[in-house]
Amino acid sequence: MAITDLPNSRTEEDGSAVVRVLSYNVRSLRDDEDALARVIRACAPDLVFVQEAPRFFRWRKHAARLAAKSELLVLSGGATAAGPLLMCSLRATVERTEDILLPLTPGLHRRGFATAVVRFARARVGLISCHLSLREDERYAQAGMLLDRVAAMDAPHTIVAGDLNERPDGRSFTRLTKELQDGWAVSPWGGEYTSTPTDPHQRIDAILATPGVEFLGCGVPTELPEADLKAATDHLPVLAAVRIPAAGTS
């Protein structure tokens, strides 16, 4: 399926917003950054949930450069969220942002959430970019913390996206989907598997949302140039179109 098969971004007569959402693990920009930016631009997203954003020397400069190449703005996250990052188009009106560090398990990488609340016309939505642990017990605990954060967002709707490091039948993934919609399961579009670009065989990245957000299509945009998808990073992107109701509607 072509990206043009997904609905374009728009504001509807009742004030609800159709929004394009992209989730992408960029491996600290260690690969072909120009190919990465071409993939992002081709998806024409309003929101990008990044994982493994640069975290060390001049990380803000690197994040800003990727945003500029992608024709977007940095919204929140990066090193201050231990890797998750949010980018947005000028269409989004930002209410607030918060970067959250999760408890550190000795010997493992620090994890965190990049969060924000934004508005598109009369539609208001919370955003959380996440990258869960490689270790099963820590990942399960982080899934619970993620649900707690969703509940604390003080927004009528929330979108969660990221690298869950687990397949849909896993304990942590299942914990999340008991409360959140899984975009691919609700409205599959494009390809399913996100890892790896050279041998797609598992879905460990996802776009999730609270009830009330309508998925119009969600999956891997596989028709993009294969050379760019392979050169950009070690994950494939997940793209979704969602409809977010206007305030005061359901």
Side-chain angles (χ1 to χ4, degrees), residues 40-112:
I40 295 172
R41 289 197 308 271
C43 292
D46 299 291
L47 300 167
V48 182
F49 295 66
V50 173
Q51 302 83 49
E52 291 193 33
R55 294 182 293 128
F56 301 110
F57 184 64
R58 293 184 177 174
W59 66 269
R60 288 184 176 87
K61 179 179 179 180
H62 296 309
R65 186 180 64 237
L66 175 63
K69 287 183 177 181
S70 305
E71 300 175 358
L72 298 165
L73 300 172
V74 173
L75 178 53
S76 70
T80 47
L85 178 82
L86 289 165
M87 300 192 298
C88 67
S89 71
L90 288 171
R91 187 171 173 234
T93 299
V94 182
E95 286 192 8
R96 67 175 189 271
T97 65
E98 184 179 5
D99 300 331
I100 297 161
L101 292 175
L102 302 182
L104 176 63
T105 301
L108 298 181
H109 291 297
R110 171 77 81 174
R111 303 283 175 172

Side-chain angles (χ1 to χ4, degrees), residues 6-180:
L6 276 183
N8 290 324
S9 304
R10 64 179 184 268
T11 300
E12 303 195 320
E13 289 185 4
D14 66 354
S16 63
V18 174
V19 176
R20 283 198 177 194
V21 179
L22 187 70
S23 183
Y24 213 172
N25 183 320
V26 303
R27 205 162 77 125
S28 299
L29 304 183
R30 293 200 299 265
D31 300 289
D32 187 332
E33 189 175 305
D34 290 330
L36 177 66
R38 285 194 296 270
V39 170
I40 295 172
R41 289 197 308 271
C43 292
D46 299 291
L47 300 167
V48 182
F49 295 66
V50 173
Q51 302 83 49
E52 291 193 33
R55 294 182 293 128
F56 301 110
F57 184 64
R58 293 184 177 174
W59 66 269
R60 288 184 176 87
K61 179 179 179 180
H62 296 309
R65 186 180 64 237
L66 175 63
K69 287 183 177 181
S70 305
E71 300 175 358
L72 298 165
L73 300 172
V74 173
L75 178 53
S76 70
T80 47
L85 178 82
L86 289 165
M87 300 192 298
C88 67
S89 71
L90 288 171
R91 187 171 173 234
T93 299
V94 182
E95 286 192 8
R96 67 175 189 271
T97 65
E98 184 179 5
D99 300 331
I100 297 161
L101 292 175
L102 302 182
L104 176 63
T105 301
L108 298 181
H109 291 297
R110 171 77 81 174
R111 303 283 175 172
F113 303 143
T115 80
V117 176
V118 301
R119 288 182 285 111
F120 296 91
R122 290 176 48 215
R124 185 167 173 266
V125 63
L127 315 173
I128 305 176
S129 179
C130 65
H131 186 185
L132 302 188
S133 177
L134 288 166
R135 199 169 89 176
E136 198 277 337
D137 59 339
E138 185 180 49
R139 183 167 62 245
Y140 186 77
Q142 290 170 353
M145 296 174 203
L146 183 53
L147 292 173
D148 290 343
R149 179 53 49 178
V150 170
M153 287 298 290
D154 189 28
H157 311 284
T158 298
I159 298 170
V160 175
D163 179 352
L164 304 184
N165 268 321
E166 187 172 274
R167 298 178 183 185
D169 60 354
R171 197 164 68 110
S172 302
F173 204 128
T174 301
R175 184 177 192 178
L176 294 173
T177 54
K178 284 181 178 178
E179 297 190 28
L180 304 173

